[in-house]
Amino acid sequence: MVKIILRDREFEVRAGMTLRDALRKCGILPEAVIATRQGEMITEDEILKDGEVVKLIAVISGG
Amino acid sequence: MRCRKCGGKAVINMPQHRLALCKEHYLAWLPEQTERFIKKYRMFTRAEKVLVAVSGGKDSLSLWDILHRLGYQADGLYIALGIDGGVNYSAESQRLTEKFAAERGLTLHVVDVRAETGKTIPEWAEATWRGREKPCAVCGLVKRHEMNRIARDLGYDVLATGHNLDDEAAVLFGNTLAWAGEYLLRQGPVLEERGGLARKVKPLCRFYEREMAAYALLRGIEYIYEECPFSAGATSLYYKELLNRLENDRPGTKLAFYLNFLEARRAGLFAERSEVQQALHPCPGCGQPTSAPGLCSYCRMIEKGRDSQV
């Protein structure tokens, strides 16, 4: 499984899918986040491997 | 995904530009584009003094960083709003802004709203009833007043803010829904100086919010990640989410919405309305320009809330 973290929320998705598919499964718009793995930014076509942790950084601010 | 420039591993994909870039080329591309927009919209030159309004957030600190890298004369202005919200919001924003300036040897002006006016933003909101639970209107009013005052008093040629494309598209969306003609007329990358109002520019207005967050992250800029505690439920955030849904299905929608608006305005769509610009006169209280009869809205707020005990 792959763990996806966005602020205080955590999701788990199956390994082997792309980041784009994983975000869709979690109901997260790719446009609203930046994905990092081990501190490095990754693009949406990246295939997620078992045991990985993807940390999402919310990009929307203001009010 | 591969970098278009060097074939290395891309860190960001921008479908709206059909462009993917590696870290090195992204960090070069964004300032190059900023420079292009500064020139295209004739924002300012290297001979002019720029005051950058910095909040401690990713956009304004990145803007300051970019202008510094490009060799512009850019100083910062931080306005301490006195918002705590259980997360020490203003104090932490100020700490990060001061750290940013100190590390780069940049000049930062700090205005403390409480020291200037006797109350913090939430206290003014409480005292004046102008949004007791939601002080955003008071906050905007005070910030506009202070930004203009400092820019004018310290002799800056231009005031730059870190508004990005998502900010601009959300405002445009709201104003279009309301057919707010006067506001539509005033929206754009440059707001010319008039009657004592400083010239205002938005050099980041064509960058997606995601692009600016990526820049801050890749440059290692430490910014306030927490949201303003009062922003929860804000209409502008709702509009941003709606626009992002459109963007997700149709890449480039946000950019086209904004650029087509600018082009339509340039072509004269709002020409008739441009003739009804309101006359400005100095406020008898603070001397800043206002279109209101008598005191400006800032001075009216101060007068109304001055005697309230909060």
PDB file of all heavy atoms in Angstrom, chain A residues 23-42:
ATOM      1  N   LEU A  23      -4.551  10.349  -6.729  1.00  0.00           N
ATOM      2  CA  LEU A  23      -5.202  11.588  -6.280  1.00  0.00           C
ATOM      3  C   LEU A  23      -6.684  11.540  -6.617  1.00  0.00           C
ATOM      4  O   LEU A  23      -7.538  11.931  -5.801  1.00  0.00           O
ATOM      5  CB  LEU A  23      -4.552  12.820  -6.938  1.00  0.00           C
ATOM      6  CG  LEU A  23      -3.112  13.140  -6.519  1.00  0.00           C
ATOM      7  CD1 LEU A  23      -2.587  14.336  -7.289  1.00  0.00           C
ATOM      8  CD2 LEU A  23      -3.013  13.388  -5.021  1.00  0.00           C
ATOM      9  N   ARG A  24      -7.002  11.032  -7.794  1.00  0.00           N
ATOM     10  CA  ARG A  24      -8.409  10.941  -8.194  1.00  0.00           C
ATOM     11  C   ARG A  24      -9.159  10.035  -7.224  1.00  0.00           C
ATOM     12  O   ARG A  24     -10.259  10.343  -6.792  1.00  0.00           O
ATOM     13  CB  ARG A  24      -8.508  10.386  -9.622  1.00  0.00           C
ATOM     14  CG  ARG A  24      -9.925  10.476 -10.190  1.00  0.00           C
ATOM     15  CD  ARG A  24     -10.010   9.956 -11.599  1.00  0.00           C
ATOM     16  NE  ARG A  24      -9.140  10.690 -12.521  1.00  0.00           N
ATOM     17  CZ  ARG A  24      -8.341  10.125 -13.433  1.00  0.00           C
ATOM     18  NH1 ARG A  24      -8.280   8.813 -13.547  1.00  0.00           N
ATOM     19  NH2 ARG A  24      -7.611  10.867 -14.233  1.00  0.00           N
ATOM     20  N   LYS A  25      -8.536   8.924  -6.867  1.00  0.00           N
ATOM     21  CA  LYS A  25      -9.161   7.970  -5.940  1.00  0.00           C
ATOM     22  C   LYS A  25      -9.422   8.609  -4.572  1.00  0.00           C
ATOM     23  O   LYS A  25     -10.407   8.311  -3.906  1.00  0.00           O
ATOM     24  CB  LYS A  25      -8.226   6.760  -5.763  1.00  0.00           C
ATOM     25  CG  LYS A  25      -8.980   5.470  -5.562  1.00  0.00           C
ATOM     26  CD  LYS A  25      -8.136   4.259  -5.873  1.00  0.00           C
ATOM     27  CE  LYS A  25      -8.918   2.989  -5.687  1.00  0.00           C
ATOM     28  NZ  LYS A  25     -10.096   2.886  -6.522  1.00  0.00           N
ATOM     29  N   CYS A  26      -8.521   9.501  -4.168  1.00  0.00           N
ATOM     30  CA  CYS A  26      -8.664  10.176  -2.866  1.00  0.00           C
ATOM     31  C   CYS A  26      -9.565  11.414  -2.962  1.00  0.00           C
ATOM     32  O   CYS A  26      -9.814  12.073  -1.950  1.00  0.00           O
ATOM     33  CB  CYS A  26      -7.302  10.609  -2.333  1.00  0.00           C
ATOM     34  SG  CYS A  26      -6.142   9.270  -2.104  1.00  0.00           S
ATOM     35  N   GLY A  27     -10.003  11.750  -4.173  1.00  0.00           N
ATOM     36  CA  GLY A  27     -10.858  12.931  -4.348  1.00  0.00           C
ATOM     37  C   GLY A  27     -10.101  14.234  -4.203  1.00  0.00           C
ATOM     38  O   GLY A  27     -10.650  15.241  -3.745  1.00  0.00           O
ATOM     39  N   ILE A  28      -8.832  14.213  -4.584  1.00  0.00           N
ATOM     40  CA  ILE A  28      -8.008  15.430  -4.465  1.00  0.00           C
ATOM     41  C   ILE A  28      -7.692  15.965  -5.865  1.00  0.00           C
ATOM     42  O   ILE A  28      -7.248  15.206  -6.733  1.00  0.00           O
ATOM     43  CB  ILE A  28      -6.689  15.118  -3.722  1.00  0.00           C
ATOM     44  CG1 ILE A  28      -6.997  14.654  -2.295  1.00  0.00           C
ATOM     45  CG2 ILE A  28      -5.755  16.329  -3.717  1.00  0.00           C
ATOM     46  CD1 ILE A  28      -5.819  13.997  -1.599  1.00  0.00           C
ATOM     47  N   LEU A  29      -7.916  17.243  -6.078  1.00  0.00           N
ATOM     48  CA  LEU A  29      -7.610  17.854  -7.378  1.00  0.00           C
ATOM     49  C   LEU A  29      -6.098  18.063  -7.492  1.00  0.00           C
ATOM     50  O   LEU A  29      -5.507  18.719  -6.627  1.00  0.00           O
ATOM     51  CB  LEU A  29      -8.302  19.205  -7.517  1.00  0.00           C
ATOM     52  CG  LEU A  29      -9.805  19.197  -7.748  1.00  0.00           C
ATOM     53  CD1 LEU A  29     -10.371  20.607  -7.609  1.00  0.00           C
ATOM     54  CD2 LEU A  29     -10.144  18.623  -9.116  1.00  0.00           C
ATOM     55  N   PRO A  30      -5.459  17.539  -8.525  1.00  0.00           N
ATOM     56  CA  PRO A  30      -4.002  17.708  -8.671  1.00  0.00           C
ATOM     57  C   PRO A  30      -3.593  19.175  -8.694  1.00  0.00           C
ATOM     58  O   PRO A  30      -2.509  19.536  -8.241  1.00  0.00           O
ATOM     59  CB  PRO A  30      -3.698  17.055 -10.027  1.00  0.00           C
ATOM     60  CG  PRO A  30      -4.849  16.164 -10.308  1.00  0.00           C
ATOM     61  CD  PRO A  30      -6.044  16.757  -9.624  1.00  0.00           C
ATOM     62  N   GLU A  31      -4.476  20.009  -9.194  1.00  0.00           N
ATOM     63  CA  GLU A  31      -4.203  21.434  -9.312  1.00  0.00           C
ATOM     64  C   GLU A  31      -4.045  22.111  -7.943  1.00  0.00           C
ATOM     65  O   GLU A  31      -3.451  23.174  -7.837  1.00  0.00           O
ATOM     66  CB  GLU A  31      -5.361  22.067 -10.093  1.00  0.00           C
ATOM     67  CG  GLU A  31      -5.144  23.448 -10.606  1.00  0.00           C
ATOM     68  CD  GLU A  31      -3.928  23.595 -11.514  1.00  0.00           C
ATOM     69  OE1 GLU A  31      -3.553  22.641 -12.197  1.00  0.00           O
ATOM     70  OE2 GLU A  31      -3.353  24.687 -11.495  1.00  0.00           O
ATOM     71  N   ALA A  32      -4.607  21.480  -6.917  1.00  0.00           N
ATOM     72  CA  ALA A  32      -4.610  22.109  -5.589  1.00  0.00           C
ATOM     73  C   ALA A  32      -3.456  21.657  -4.706  1.00  0.00           C
ATOM     74  O   ALA A  32      -3.333  22.104  -3.563  1.00  0.00           O
ATOM     75  CB  ALA A  32      -5.936  21.821  -4.891  1.00  0.00           C
ATOM     76  N   VAL A  33      -2.616  20.768  -5.219  1.00  0.00           N
ATOM     77  CA  VAL A  33      -1.526  20.233  -4.378  1.00  0.00           C
ATOM     78  C   VAL A  33      -0.219  20.083  -5.155  1.00  0.00           C
ATOM     79  O   VAL A  33      -0.218  20.045  -6.383  1.00  0.00           O
ATOM     80  CB  VAL A  33      -1.882  18.837  -3.786  1.00  0.00           C
ATOM     81  CG1 VAL A  33      -3.022  18.934  -2.785  1.00  0.00           C
ATOM     82  CG2 VAL A  33      -2.192  17.836  -4.889  1.00  0.00           C
ATOM     83  N   ILE A  34       0.853  19.976  -4.380  1.00  0.00           N
ATOM     84  CA  ILE A  34       2.151  19.559  -4.928  1.00  0.00           C
ATOM     85  C   ILE A  34       2.509  18.279  -4.184  1.00  0.00           C
ATOM     86  O   ILE A  34       2.381  18.211  -2.956  1.00  0.00           O
ATOM     87  CB  ILE A  34       3.214  20.644  -4.686  1.00  0.00           C
ATOM     88  CG1 ILE A  34       2.983  21.792  -5.673  1.00  0.00           C
ATOM     89  CG2 ILE A  34       4.613  20.095  -4.852  1.00  0.00           C
ATOM     90  CD1 ILE A  34       3.849  22.971  -5.416  1.00  0.00           C
ATOM     91  N   ALA A  35       2.932  17.277  -4.940  1.00  0.00           N
ATOM     92  CA  ALA A  35       3.261  15.997  -4.306  1.00  0.00           C
ATOM     93  C   ALA A  35       4.770  15.878  -4.118  1.00  0.00           C
ATOM     94  O   ALA A  35       5.542  16.204  -5.026  1.00  0.00           O
ATOM     95  CB  ALA A  35       2.742  14.856  -5.165  1.00  0.00           C
ATOM     96  N   THR A  36       5.149  15.408  -2.929  1.00  0.00           N
ATOM     97  CA  THR A  36       6.577  15.185  -2.676  1.00  0.00           C
ATOM     98  C   THR A  36       6.771  13.753  -2.144  1.00  0.00           C
ATOM     99  O   THR A  36       5.913  13.211  -1.446  1.00  0.00           O
ATOM    100  CB  THR A  36       7.147  16.172  -1.645  1.00  0.00           C
ATOM    101  OG1 THR A  36       6.464  15.986  -0.388  1.00  0.00           O
ATOM    102  CG2 THR A  36       6.980  17.608  -2.083  1.00  0.00           C
ATOM    103  N   ARG A  37       7.903  13.184  -2.516  1.00  0.00           N
ATOM    104  CA  ARG A  37       8.279  11.866  -2.002  1.00  0.00           C
ATOM    105  C   ARG A  37       9.718  11.981  -1.529  1.00  0.00           C
ATOM    106  O   ARG A  37      10.583  12.404  -2.302  1.00  0.00           O
ATOM    107  CB  ARG A  37       8.155  10.832  -3.139  1.00  0.00           C
ATOM    108  CG  ARG A  37       8.352   9.401  -2.696  1.00  0.00           C
ATOM    109  CD  ARG A  37       8.106   8.457  -3.844  1.00  0.00           C
ATOM    110  NE  ARG A  37       8.924   8.795  -5.004  1.00  0.00           N
ATOM    111  CZ  ARG A  37       8.703   8.350  -6.244  1.00  0.00           C
ATOM    112  NH1 ARG A  37       7.689   7.559  -6.491  1.00  0.00           N
ATOM    113  NH2 ARG A  37       9.499   8.688  -7.237  1.00  0.00           N
ATOM    114  N   GLN A  38       9.929  11.667  -0.278  1.00  0.00           N
ATOM    115  CA  GLN A  38      11.248  11.837   0.357  1.00  0.00           C
ATOM    116  C   GLN A  38      11.802  13.247   0.091  1.00  0.00           C
ATOM    117  O   GLN A  38      12.965  13.432  -0.257  1.00  0.00           O
ATOM    118  CB  GLN A  38      12.218  10.770  -0.175  1.00  0.00           C
ATOM    119  CG  GLN A  38      11.815   9.382   0.265  1.00  0.00           C
ATOM    120  CD  GLN A  38      12.749   8.305  -0.246  1.00  0.00           C
ATOM    121  OE1 GLN A  38      13.241   8.370  -1.369  1.00  0.00           O
ATOM    122  NE2 GLN A  38      12.988   7.295   0.572  1.00  0.00           N
ATOM    123  N   GLY A  39      10.905  14.209   0.201  1.00  0.00           N
ATOM    124  CA  GLY A  39      11.303  15.609   0.079  1.00  0.00           C
ATOM    125  C   GLY A  39      11.460  16.123  -1.347  1.00  0.00           C
ATOM    126  O   GLY A  39      11.731  17.299  -1.554  1.00  0.00           O
ATOM    127  N   GLU A  40      11.304  15.248  -2.341  1.00  0.00           N
ATOM    128  CA  GLU A  40      11.464  15.662  -3.742  1.00  0.00           C
ATOM    129  C   GLU A  40      10.107  15.763  -4.420  1.00  0.00           C
ATOM    130  O   GLU A  40       9.247  14.895  -4.228  1.00  0.00           O
ATOM    131  CB  GLU A  40      12.319  14.628  -4.509  1.00  0.00           C
ATOM    132  CG  GLU A  40      13.733  14.465  -3.973  1.00  0.00           C
ATOM    133  CD  GLU A  40      14.632  15.666  -4.251  1.00  0.00           C
ATOM    134  OE1 GLU A  40      14.477  16.278  -5.321  1.00  0.00           O
ATOM    135  OE2 GLU A  40      15.455  15.992  -3.381  1.00  0.00           O
ATOM    136  N   MET A  41       9.940  16.799  -5.229  1.00  0.00           N
ATOM    137  CA  MET A  41       8.671  16.940  -5.962  1.00  0.00           C
ATOM    138  C   MET A  41       8.564  15.879  -7.059  1.00  0.00           C
ATOM    139  O   MET A  41       9.539  15.588  -7.739  1.00  0.00           O
ATOM    140  CB  MET A  41       8.601  18.332  -6.607  1.00  0.00           C
ATOM    141  CG  MET A  41       8.079  19.408  -5.664  1.00  0.00           C
ATOM    142  SD  MET A  41       8.240  21.060  -6.364  1.00  0.00           S
ATOM    143  CE  MET A  41       7.354  20.906  -7.895  1.00  0.00           C
ATOM    144  N   ILE A  42       7.353  15.337  -7.217  1.00  0.00           N
ATOM    145  CA  ILE A  42       7.148  14.336  -8.278  1.00  0.00           C
ATOM    146  C   ILE A  42       5.967  14.748  -9.166  1.00  0.00           C
ATOM    147  O   ILE A  42       5.073  15.466  -8.735  1.00  0.00           O
ATOM    148  CB  ILE A  42       6.914  12.911  -7.702  1.00  0.00           C
ATOM    149  CG1 ILE A  42       5.747  12.885  -6.698  1.00  0.00           C
ATOM    150  CG2 ILE A  42       8.181  12.373  -7.058  1.00  0.00           C
ATOM    151  CD1 ILE A  42       5.345  11.488  -6.266  1.00  0.00           C
TER     152      ILE A  42
END
